[in-house]
Amino acid sequence: MAQDSVDLSCDYQFWMQKLSVWDQASTLETQQDTCLHLAQFQEFLRKMYEALKEMDSNTVIERFPTIGQLLAKACWNPFILAYDESQKILIWCLCCLINKEPQNSGQSKLNYWIQGLLSHILSALRFDKEVALFTQGLGYAPIDYYPGLLKNMVLSLASELRENHLNGFNTQRRMAPERVASLSRVCVPLITLPDVDPLVEALLICHGHEPQEILQQEFFEAVNEAILLKKISLPVSAVVCLWLRHLPSLEKTMLHLFEKLISSERNCLRRIECFIKDSLLSQAACHPAIFRVVDEIFRCALLETDGAPEVIATIQVFTQCFVEALEKENKQLQFTLKTYFPYTSPSLATVLLQDPQGIPQGQWLQTLKHISELLRKAVEDQTHGSCRGPFESWFLFIHFGGWAEMAAEQLLMSAAEPPTAVLWLLAFYYGPCDGRQQRTQTMVAYVVATYRHGDLQPYSQMLSPFPPALARDERLSAHSPGKHPFFLEVV
């Protein structure tokens, strides 16, 4: 408790200095600094209220003699009043200073002064007498008129930004970059207000034609944070623009997904699917640039965890959600498969993208043989010095785990000698870094395990879906491509 008291006193001095700086100058820098610290200041106000409500007014003044100055400066700062719940918490704090039974003129004056601040807060977003009379003449009360005015202002600005986006190089009809930047700065404390959503969306979509990004970094960060916390809901097109314009926001969203997966006590495939769809990552990944970034992060997670089954499962579920979104959004592919999978053959990617369950059962074996041939050609026909062949082919294959499941099912259902192509496919799935001879031995072991035990379990337990050696080789190849023995091996 004593430590909390010391921390609050330190925070109090820090914010008192900040408010003094913000109060003395109204420059672009101070506005940016204010917006950057709004969330932290609101949290400080909340802690201050928790402390004040436990004291009487005399104790408050004794412990925090300048509390009136601090709250007054906050009350007259429009950015603070407009941010989230700060206005409400300020009112709570001021109410703690009121003497319910003033004993002298000093306490009466303090009550009167506090009432003035409360009146200011409550009327800060109202209109003067002339506007009130005008709205009453139209049949509106000021309390009804303000939301309508705010909504119209937002829609007007959003419409202007969209025209700005469509006007291209017609400089006479374009909004000045400084004004667009100013709008993004002003929006930071207002992002969570429902009526401001159209303006936030329009700002994200309006790219402009300047060589450098004109929207404030704080704006991007605040929007992404609000999306992660489900405080706002934007269309996928706006989220795509956010992540394309601000890569740290996309990276933070991926990190947030991993944190949810790790913190969840039990992750079944259905739960992983809900997490992925809820993050909008699979829908946004229809844009190749976002897909490539997300896929690269998955690759890093795969390498760093030595191919943890949980990571592989997440990659496979993400791919299923991505393919589903791609089919839903694009009647015909807007981008070639090469833009999504640049290191593999387009014909292989085309076959793997098919839903295994959507293929007639009589064609399963034929399709598996075709996939096996394409993979084998990509893996075994690699020229010396290729640093991407085996790993990239395997990395693509594990995205579509349904084909490996189908291959195992075909192997178990086969009454005659198992097809070599299916055996090779499974051997490659479980032993991607094996050479040709070792992979042949693996195929033989599969046959023995199948016919002795009736399933693949005894042998598959001996195999790792992603051997640690491959993880080490891939990491080394990133620093010296083509020089590591794994990538020089003629498999």
Side-chain angles (χ1 to χ4, degrees):
M1 194 72 177
Q3 182 61 43
D4 293 342
S5 178
V6 172
D7 291 343
L8 184 59
S9 297
C10 294
D11 290 344
Y12 181 91
Q13 296 302 324
F14 171 80
W15 290 113
M16 191 66 187
Q17 293 175 5
K18 275 286 185 188
L19 287 165
S20 297
V21 173
W22 297 342
D23 186 46
Q24 291 171 4
S26 183
T27 62
L28 175 61
E29 289 74 16
T30 56
Q31 290 178 4
Q32 290 176 334
D33 189 55
T34 304
C35 293
L36 185 64
H37 289 85
L38 285 171
Q40 295 169 272
F41 182 69
Q42 178 176 276
E43 185 59 28
F44 162 74
L45 282 178
R46 198 180 297 277
K47 290 179 181 178
M48 176 60 70
Y49 168 67
E50 292 298 325
L52 295 180
K53 70 179 183 180
E54 300 298 329
M55 313 176 195
D56 58 46
S57 58
N58 292 329
T59 307
V60 171
I61 300 301
E62 181 180 343
R63 183 173 172 189
F64 301 105
T66 58
I67 185 70
Q69 296 178 37
L70 184 143
L71 295 178
K73 290 177 185 296
C75 289
W76 285 95
N77 190 308
F79 290 94
I80 293 174
L81 286 184
Y83 180 72
D84 202 24
E85 297 184 330
S86 295
Q87 184 181 20
K88 177 175 67 177
I89 303 171
L90 274 172
I91 293 174
W92 292 348
C93 290
L94 287 169
C95 289
C96 291
L97 302 185
I98 295 177
N99 285 278
K100 295 181 180 179
E101 297 179 359
Q103 301 297 320
N104 51 56
S105 61
Q107 292 179 349
S108 298
K109 288 180 180 178
L110 177 62
N111 282 358
Y112 181 76
W113 178 77
I114 292 171
Q115 290 168 5
L117 281 179
L118 289 171
S119 177
H120 164 70
I121 293 177
L122 296 173
S123 63
L125 298 178
R126 295 182 183 175
F127 302 95
D128 56 30
K129 187 179 298 184
E130 288 75 13
V131 173
L133 291 173
F134 173 71
T135 56
Q136 289 173 9
L138 293 175
Y140 292 97
I143 194 170
D144 298 323
Y145 180 75
Y146 170 70
L149 178 62
L150 175 62
K151 186 175 182 179
N152 288 338
M153 287 173 61
V154 166
L155 292 176
S156 176
L157 287 169
S159 176
E160 190 175 354
L161 283 166
R162 290 191 185 94
E163 290 179 7
N164 183 69
H165 179 63
L166 296 173
N167 282 334
F169 293 98
N170 186 350
T171 55
Q172 293 182 347
R173 298 184 61 189
R174 282 171 51 200
M175 186 184 292
E178 296 78 13
R179 189 179 177 207
V180 177
S182 176
L183 277 176
S184 70
R185 183 170 58 254
V186 170
C187 270
V188 170
L190 306 174
I191 282 171
T192 55
L193 294 178
D195 289 337
V196 182
D197 283 359
L199 181 56
V200 173
E201 180 185 348
L203 281 167
L204 291 171
I205 294 175
C206 179
H207 290 285
H209 303 277
E210 289 67 34
Q212 295 181 339
E213 180 59 67
I214 59 175
L215 299 185
Q216 300 294 305
Q217 297 299 306
E218 294 81 6
F219 171 75
F220 289 129
E221 293 168 0
V223 172
N224 197 63
E225 187 70 16
I227 292 173
L228 292 178
L229 297 177
K230 303 301 176 186
K231 289 190 173 183
I232 61 172
S233 178
L234 296 175
V236 175
S237 57
V239 178
V240 168
C241 290
L242 166 65
W243 290 342
L244 288 175
R245 298 177 73 169
H246 193 245
L247 181 58
S249 289
L250 175 56
E251 293 171 338
K252 187 171 183 179
T253 302
M254 282 294 294
L255 180 61
H256 185 72
L257 173 63
F258 283 126
E259 287 175 347
K260 289 179 71 174
L261 291 171
I262 292 170
S263 62
S264 181
E265 293 182 0
R266 185 177 179 182
N267 283 324
C268 60
L269 294 181
R270 178 66 66 184
R271 191 173 181 82
I272 295 174
E273 180 183 354
C274 289
F275 284 151
I276 289 173
K277 288 185 175 180
D278 189 55
S279 70
L280 300 180
L281 285 166
S282 56
Q283 300 93 310
C286 291
H287 193 291
I290 291 179
F291 178 88
R292 295 280 299 278
V293 172
V294 171
D295 208 41
E296 190 63 29
I297 294 174
F298 276 133
R299 181 201 303 269
C300 293
L302 200 63
L303 294 170
E304 290 301 322
T305 60
D306 283 342
E310 296 84 354
V311 177
I312 292 178
T314 303
I315 293 174
Q316 291 177 352
V317 174
F318 169 80
T319 305
Q320 291 173 3
C321 296
F322 159 70
V323 172
E324 181 184 319
L326 206 60
E327 291 174 347
K328 184 177 180 180
E329 185 171 307
N330 304 291
K331 300 298 181 183
Q332 187 175 4
L333 275 177
Q334 295 180 4
F335 305 96
T336 64
L337 289 176
K338 194 72 175 175
T339 58
Y340 295 101
F341 306 102
Y343 305 121
T344 52
S345 124
S347 56
L348 176 59
T350 301
V351 177
L352 291 175
L353 270 170
Q354 298 178 85
D355 180 8
Q357 301 305 319
I359 297 175
Q361 190 172 355
Q363 299 179 19
W364 283 3
L365 187 57
Q366 180 183 350
T367 308
L368 287 171
K369 286 181 178 179
H370 184 46
I371 293 173
S372 181
E373 290 171 4
L374 291 173
L375 270 173
R376 194 164 188 167
K377 181 179 179 182
V379 172
E380 297 186 352
D381 291 350
Q382 290 295 315
T383 57
H384 287 276
S386 173
C387 65
R388 289 206 173 264
F391 175 79
E392 289 303 332
S393 297
W394 179 81
F395 185 56
L396 174 67
F397 188 41
I398 68 157
H399 280 68
F400 307 93
W403 293 111
E405 293 175 9
M406 182 180 287
E409 185 178 341
Q410 285 293 298
L411 185 60
L412 292 174
M413 291 172 58
S414 178
E417 183 179 347
T420 304
V422 177
L423 285 172
W424 186 94
L425 205 58
L426 283 170
F428 178 65
Y429 182 79
Y430 286 105
C433 61
D434 293 346
R436 180 179 297 171
Q437 183 177 356
Q438 189 174 355
R439 194 170 287 121
T440 302
Q441 294 172 355
T442 302
M443 291 160 62
V444 172
Y446 269 127
V447 176
V448 172
T450 302
Y451 285 93
R452 284 186 180 176
H453 303 279
D455 58 41
L456 298 177
Q457 190 64 22
Y459 186 71
S460 63
Q461 287 177 344
M462 301 166 56
L463 296 169
S464 166
F466 189 57
L470 180 57
R472 291 194 297 273
D473 291 341
E474 178 65 10
R475 282 197 289 268
L476 287 170
S477 71
H479 298 285
S480 53
K483 295 184 179 181
H484 194 273
F486 171 75
F487 294 100
L488 292 176
E489 179 185 15
V490 182
V491 294

